[in-house]
Amino acid sequence: MSKKSRLRAQKAKQLLLQKENELYEAEEMIRARNGAKSKSALKYEKAAASKEKGWMKPIKFLMLLPYLINGLFLGTITVIAILFLDLNMPDSKAYLIIGAMAFITVGLVLTFLKKYLAAFLPCAVGTGMFVSVGYSFVSYIQDYMSTHHVEPDMQNMDIKYMLYFYPMLLLGICSLILFVARIIIIAKEHKRETDKYNNLPVKSIIDD
């Protein structure tokens, strides 16, 4: 093959590769405009979703405080007291605490796995169940104190049970913050990817 023929073949090969790249870019642009995502875009978005802002980690560890203190420790004491002591509270309240802790535990595991969207529901349900039991305790004590004589050292009993149960709201709030933050991050990354494909160069196709 002559040098001239080799140059023509090389040029034809380059043109073919250029056309294939242009076609690929056009297809990617169409997919982006139609809401579809390429494998590379999905891979990029997945990697972006796994990224964690620096302030997220302290929030996760902050969630452990009410979980360990108010949930596992004080919650267990309250369950034992309801089931085995005469607190004049139905056993269902103890079972609600147990169920709440099961939901919250699942939510925390998902949170530390960075599955913030999936973690929010069990955290929210568990927090609501746990705090609802606390509200029952506080309401019962306040009603009793309003109609009965209470010794001076027992007059802050309602506040004591507020401190037993209500700090668990911090866990639910932290889970909500992480949930909203993850939605915002994913939305921004999706917009960035869409803008990237919408701005792909197509001048060579139009000129042809």
Side-chain angles (χ1 to χ4, degrees):
M1 181 182 292
S2 65
K3 183 177 179 181
K4 187 175 182 180
S5 298
R6 286 198 301 270
L7 288 174
R8 287 179 179 176
Q10 185 177 1
K11 184 177 181 180
K13 185 177 180 181
Q14 290 175 347
L15 288 174
L16 180 61
L17 289 175
Q18 181 181 352
K19 291 297 181 181
E20 288 179 352
N21 288 332
E22 290 173 351
L23 180 61
Y24 174 77
E25 290 174 354
E27 290 176 349
E28 290 294 293
M29 183 181 65
I30 294 172
R31 288 178 185 172
R33 288 176 176 171
N34 291 336
K37 299 173 184 176
S38 66
K39 291 182 180 180
S40 60
L42 287 171
K43 183 178 179 181
Y44 179 82
E45 183 171 303
K46 185 177 180 181
S50 66
K51 292 180 181 178
E52 186 174 72
K53 299 294 184 181
W55 54 266
M56 287 182 171
K57 187 173 290 185
I59 287 184
K60 291 192 291 186
F61 283 99
L62 182 62
M63 294 170 71
L64 287 175
L65 291 178
Y67 175 77
L68 295 174
I69 298 173
N70 301 90
L72 291 184
F73 180 63
L74 297 177
T76 300
I77 291 175
T78 305
V79 168
I80 294 173
I82 293 173
L83 295 178
F84 301 105
L85 301 178
D86 186 17
L87 291 186
N88 199 24
M89 294 290 290
D91 291 353
S92 60
K93 299 298 181 182
Y95 300 135
L96 272 176
I97 294 176
I98 295 172
M101 290 309 300
F103 274 110
I104 293 172
T105 300
V106 171
L108 268 181
V109 170
L110 291 172
T111 297
F112 277 87
L113 291 175
K114 301 180 183 179
K115 307 293 185 181
Y116 303 127
L117 299 183
F120 175 67
L121 182 59
C123 281
V125 172
T127 299
M129 292 170 62
F130 193 87
V131 174
S132 69
V133 177
Y135 178 79
S136 299
F137 266 89
V138 173
S139 298
Y140 174 78
I141 292 170
Q142 289 176 339
D143 291 342
Y144 181 86
M145 291 170 61
S146 65
T147 56
H148 295 75
H149 172 72
V150 180
E151 296 296 329
D153 59 342
M154 301 290 287
Q155 290 181 354
N156 291 327
M157 184 64 67
D158 56 339
I159 297 177
K160 173 184 176 181
Y161 275 96
M162 286 180 186
L163 296 176
Y164 266 40
F165 289 94
Y166 291 175
M168 190 62 79
L169 288 170
L170 178 62
L171 186 146
I173 292 171
C174 288
S175 181
L176 176 61
I177 291 173
L178 294 174
F179 175 80
V180 173
R182 175 57 74 212
I183 289 178
I184 292 173
I185 290 171
I186 292 176
K188 285 182 177 180
E189 294 298 339
H190 176 73
K191 184 178 185 300
R192 187 178 304 168
E193 275 297 301
T194 302
D195 291 343
K196 176 183 176 182
Y197 287 119
N198 285 342
N199 293 327
L200 282 174
V202 292
K203 184 175 184 299
S204 58
I205 298 176
I206 296 175
D207 289 343
D208 290 344

